[in-house]
Amino acid sequence: MPSLKDVKLQIAGVKKTKQITRAMGMVASAGLRGAQQRIERFRPYANKFNTMLSDLAARTEGADHALLENHEEKKNVLILLVTSDRGLCGAFNVNLINTALKLAKAKESEGKAVSFICVGRKGRDAVRKTGFQVLSAMTDVMGSLNFQVATTIGNTVSHNYTEYNADEVYLVYSEFVSMSRQVPTSMALLPVVPSEKEEDANAGIEYVYEPNVGVLLAELLPRYLNVQIYRGLLDNFASENAARMFAMNNATNNCDEMIGSLTLLYNKTRQTAITNELMDIVGGANALQSQ
């Protein structure tokens, strides 16, 4: 049985850990409120933009813009993986990395070369260990997340696609569904998938574009790419904070349970020590009386 001093030191250590986990949980909770508001405001715009571009792509030819071109020979796949820079958020990063690697291995089994663009230190470090090529990596950007970050990434992605360094581009991120549910998601970014033409009352309508389609696509397609990447970054940031808050709350509860168990052990140890001392006193008194 451990000594009273050892048990007291353990209780003190767990209490300090509890203070840290509680503080980290509060910080994650504060960050989550802002991140949740941002993604809830931006998501309808991103969804509508995606619908509009898909419809526009269905009414145009791939030759109208390089980002619409469907490469005949698909040999290279580019995966944009978004993770966090820090840990202590449960299985959040592990699930994202596993989703990306599963996609990469599936494409590799088809005879395609796979490369990565990583946003976040955790994803970058994990991909480097697997042997897949990391074309570029961005770290420590979530603290100052803005649309310019998505634009920088989008320029890299579009350059690789138009230069035929990538024939397919996928975005892997965690979609924020609720406080307790974040879903690792793989989304095809390029080429833009045209929407299916439906037979309805508007099927025979012919659209006239002003300015012409080429000018319109030159403006909208890069913005579409940036919008979808920014949506993925916002979703991922909200999911990260939710996962970290949930993990820290669980850690705080575990600390409470450990403190309770250690306090019970401390009391038992103290009672045992007191009982032993009383037995020694009684034994000594009986020895004196027998003389």
Side-chain angles (χ1 to χ4, degrees):
M1 183 174 290
S3 64
L4 286 173
K5 183 178 180 180
D6 292 338
V7 178
K8 288 180 69 175
L9 288 175
Q10 290 182 21
I11 292 174
V14 175
K15 285 182 177 179
K16 290 180 180 179
T17 302
K18 178 184 174 181
Q19 291 176 351
I20 295 172
T21 57
R22 178 181 289 175
M24 293 186 66
M26 293 175 65
V27 171
S29 177
L32 174 61
R33 284 194 292 270
Q36 185 177 0
Q37 291 174 358
R38 291 175 71 182
I39 185 58
E40 287 178 350
R41 289 197 301 264
F42 191 78
R43 187 179 288 156
Y45 172 74
N47 290 338
K48 196 65 178 178
F49 211 122
N50 186 26
T51 302
M52 180 192 69
L53 256 296
S54 297
D55 183 70
L56 186 61
R59 302 174 186 276
T60 58
E61 298 295 333
D64 290 328
H65 196 279
L67 293 180
L68 274 182
E69 184 180 354
N70 197 340
H71 299 173
E72 293 183 2
E73 191 176 3
K74 293 181 170 57
K75 299 184 296 182
N76 302 306
V77 177
L78 177 60
I79 299 176
L80 174 56
L81 172 60
V82 186
T83 59
S84 69
D85 293 299
R86 298 179 293 122
L88 298 177
C89 45
F92 172 75
N93 288 308
V94 174
N95 292 336
L96 283 170
I97 293 167
N98 288 342
T99 300
L101 293 180
K102 182 178 179 181
L103 173 63
K105 291 176 181 177
K107 294 298 180 180
E108 192 177 45
S109 66
E110 297 174 3
K112 301 175 182 177
V114 180
S115 56
F116 280 82
I117 294 177
C118 299
V119 181
R121 187 174 288 108
K122 294 295 182 179
R124 179 201 65 185
D125 295 344
V127 172
R128 282 178 176 174
K129 293 178 182 178
T130 62
F132 286 110
Q133 182 184 8
V134 179
L135 295 181
S136 65
M138 299 181 68
T139 59
D140 300 318
V141 298
M142 291 302 180
S144 56
L145 184 58
N146 53 49
F147 197 76
Q148 185 59 41
V149 175
T151 301
T152 302
I153 300 171
N155 290 339
T156 304
V157 170
S158 60
H159 173 75
N160 280 278
Y161 190 79
T162 54
E163 294 295 322
Y164 287 82
N165 295 325
D167 304 306
E168 296 176 335
V169 181
Y170 293 88
L171 171 64
V172 177
Y173 67 100
S174 181
E175 183 179 1
F176 178 79
V177 179
S178 65
M179 301 280 284
S180 59
R181 185 164 178 253
Q182 303 85 42
V183 181
T185 303
S186 174
M187 181 179 77
L189 279 180
L190 294 175
V192 179
V193 179
S195 62
E196 297 181 0
K197 296 182 180 180
E198 298 181 357
E199 297 294 334
D200 56 16
N202 298 323
I205 297 178
E206 181 179 354
Y207 290 87
V208 177
Y209 300 104
E210 181 65 32
N212 63 59
V213 174
V215 176
L216 195 62
L217 290 176
E219 176 65 28
L220 291 181
L221 274 170
R223 178 171 289 273
Y224 156 80
L225 189 61
N226 299 339
V227 164
Q228 299 307 319
I229 292 174
Y230 188 54
R231 179 256 180 91
L233 294 174
L234 290 179
D235 253 315
N236 208 77
F237 186 55
S239 297
E240 176 191 348
N241 280 284
R244 181 169 291 111
M245 184 186 73
F246 190 74
M248 291 300 101
N249 288 343
N250 284 341
T252 302
N253 294 334
N254 290 337
C255 286
D256 287 331
E257 294 179 3
M258 290 182 66
I259 290 172
S261 299
L262 289 171
T263 301
L264 182 61
L265 177 61
Y266 176 81
N267 292 335
K268 288 182 178 180
T269 305
R270 185 179 62 179
Q271 290 171 0
T272 301
I274 293 172
T275 302
N276 291 334
E277 290 176 1
L278 288 174
M279 290 178 65
D280 290 340
I281 293 172
V282 172
N286 289 337
L288 289 174
Q289 288 179 359
S290 64
Q291 292 180 355

